[in-house]
Amino acid sequence: MADEAEAAESDESDEGFVHPIFRLAPHEDSGSDTLGNYRYQAEVAAQMCVVLLTEDSVESVVCEWHEDFVVSYADGFVELVSVKHRGKRRNPWNVADLCKDGGLAHLFDRWRACDGRSNVRLRLATNAGLTTGKLGATTLKAMCGRDPQVTAGVDAMADTVARHLLRVRWKQAYATIPEVPQANLADIAIPAGFTDLVRLFFAALHIDDELPSRRHITDVNLQSLLIPAIARLQRDHVDVEATYRALVERIEKSNRDESDRGQLAVYIADPTRVLHSVQIQQRIARRRLTKATVLDTFVCSSSAVPTVARGQLPIVAPGGANLRKKMERGRIPADEAAHAERLRSAWYVTWSQQRSGLAGDTTDLANASFEVLDIVFACREQAEEEAPGSAPYGRRMNQLMARHLTPDALGTGLPFPVNGRHLRGLAYQLCDDCDFYFSEVFDPSEEEAS
């Protein structure tokens, strides 16, 4: 197939996509789920996207890859998550329904397509309850996972689930579920070794039947997850509801963002090989959400941004000697120079607390610095033009900076809210770094600070 003919590249250039699950192309689903179900799936995925903001154990979320989404963990595990919403008028899930409509057959097929690898975990997430009883869905849930709560009767449950999966196979083509002659459930001939595979499937599976309903999931996600995450990140002036809408829309875009909807081969490359498909990695990248991706969806509120957050202790930024010498050479009054130092410290604290800690911070700071310097140089040019002869122009330049360094003047801006004083603080830091002067260029190291 075309995907198998794509050029390949090594893991080292792969930006971390080394989990075997991501070397395996998923089947394309063409189900008839309603738009509401897709929104619900996106909101369940949003839960994990919010978690990765504050939990280092979660690395990324990849939407619509094998299942509704895949969670990639820092310890090398990946989790395939299938989301099933059930209306309140429907009965709780029984084992037969879980295998058919509840997605267990689908999860089993994807797990087997991954050779049942030890780093692949599975989760069936639903809002509906489970039936009770000896062979009820509640018992099945208790038998699943690495440390099952119930161990008695596992063989009988595995036998039952195996028969239901084989029955599902009669109407739905799953490559990893064998096809057997049709018969009554109790008379279905189970192929040798299939029940053993089902028991291994139990160990990889977690059933979560406590999701909020479609009606309540937005409020639960806002109050229980996003608002506490924003507080932990110490992000002031975030429009919580607008941010949540932007996040869900970003997830939905990841679900839709696919130029090739054709059927792909089950195996693009052998999982033990170092080389794998470039095109597959490009597809994953379009569907992958990381901490930086989620932070990009944050929407600032329109309220005023304080220069120093409430309850924050004043901190003096390191350095400052170059700035003091430059402002003195530019004939800027001492009180204005002292104010510049305070603003530089305010910027230092804001940047230290608000940056994400990811590699993208360097790019964000560089882009903001480019724009700030453009404005500073324009202010200097105007100040020089207004100064008579060779008169000092530093004070006038500083006044123009106060007027023109505003958030609205920045094109790309910063990933967190700032005000004009923050931008002036950044400008003063750039001055301390010797990116510009309030006078002719000189060597600050040869000047004695006053």
Side-chain angles (χ1 to χ4, degrees), residues 161-173:
V161 171
R163 294 177 190 276
H164 283 300
L165 294 178
L166 293 169
R167 186 166 67 173
V168 170
R169 177 66 178 81
W170 297 339
K171 294 184 179 180
Q172 295 174 264

Side-chain angles (χ1 to χ4, degrees), residues 276-295:
H276 48 279
S277 167
V278 174
Q279 185 173 348
I280 290 296
Q281 298 307 321
Q282 291 172 342
R283 291 183 63 190
I284 293 170
R286 292 196 295 268
R287 296 169 181 258
R288 184 173 184 253
L289 292 97
T290 63
K291 182 176 182 178
T293 312
V294 177
L295 288 173

Side-chain angles (χ1 to χ4, degrees), residues 15-34:
E15 297 186 0
F17 292 122
V18 296
H19 295 302
I21 187 67
F22 296 125
R23 302 179 188 177
L24 183 66
H27 294 290
E28 298 295 341
D29 294 320
S30 56
S32 58
D33 286 344
T34 64

Side-chain angles (χ1 to χ4, degrees), residues 99-159:
C99 291
K100 181 183 177 183
D101 301 324
L104 283 191
H106 197 271
L107 276 171
F108 178 86
D109 182 63
R110 299 301 163 91
W111 173 72
R112 287 295 302 136
C114 300
D115 289 335
R117 297 184 196 97
S118 59
N119 73 325
V120 177
R121 297 188 293 227
L122 314 165
R123 174 156 52 106
L124 173 61
T126 181
N127 64 304
L130 306 174
T131 57
T132 58
K134 184 177 180 180
L135 291 178
T138 299
T139 303
L140 172 59
K141 173 184 176 180
M143 291 178 174
C144 291
R146 300 290 178 182
D147 298 307
Q149 297 177 356
V150 174
T151 56
V154 173
D155 289 344
M157 180 64 77
D159 185 85

Side-chain angles (χ1 to χ4, degrees), residues 20 27 39 54 106 116 186 196 230 258 268 308-309 363 371 420 445 450:
H27 294 290
R39 172 53 67 101
T54 56
H106 197 271
D196 294 334
I230 291 171
E258 184 53 70
I268 292 300
V308 179
T363 303
E371 295 196 53
S445 65
S450 59

Side-chain angles (χ1 to χ4, degrees), residues 236-284:
D236 296 324
H237 305 287
V238 173
D239 187 325
V240 177
E241 293 187 3
T243 295
Y244 183 74
R245 288 194 300 270
L247 174 59
V248 173
E249 289 169 3
R250 177 65 178 83
I251 294 169
E252 291 179 324
K253 181 178 183 297
S254 296
N255 290 343
R256 296 191 302 266
D257 191 7
E258 184 53 70
S259 58
D260 177 13
R261 299 300 294 176
Q263 182 73 16
L264 299 177
V266 174
Y267 290 100
I268 292 300
D270 189 301
T272 61
R273 286 172 52 189
V274 174
L275 303 180
H276 48 279
S277 167
V278 174
Q279 185 173 348
I280 290 296
Q281 298 307 321
Q282 291 172 342
R283 291 183 63 190
I284 293 170

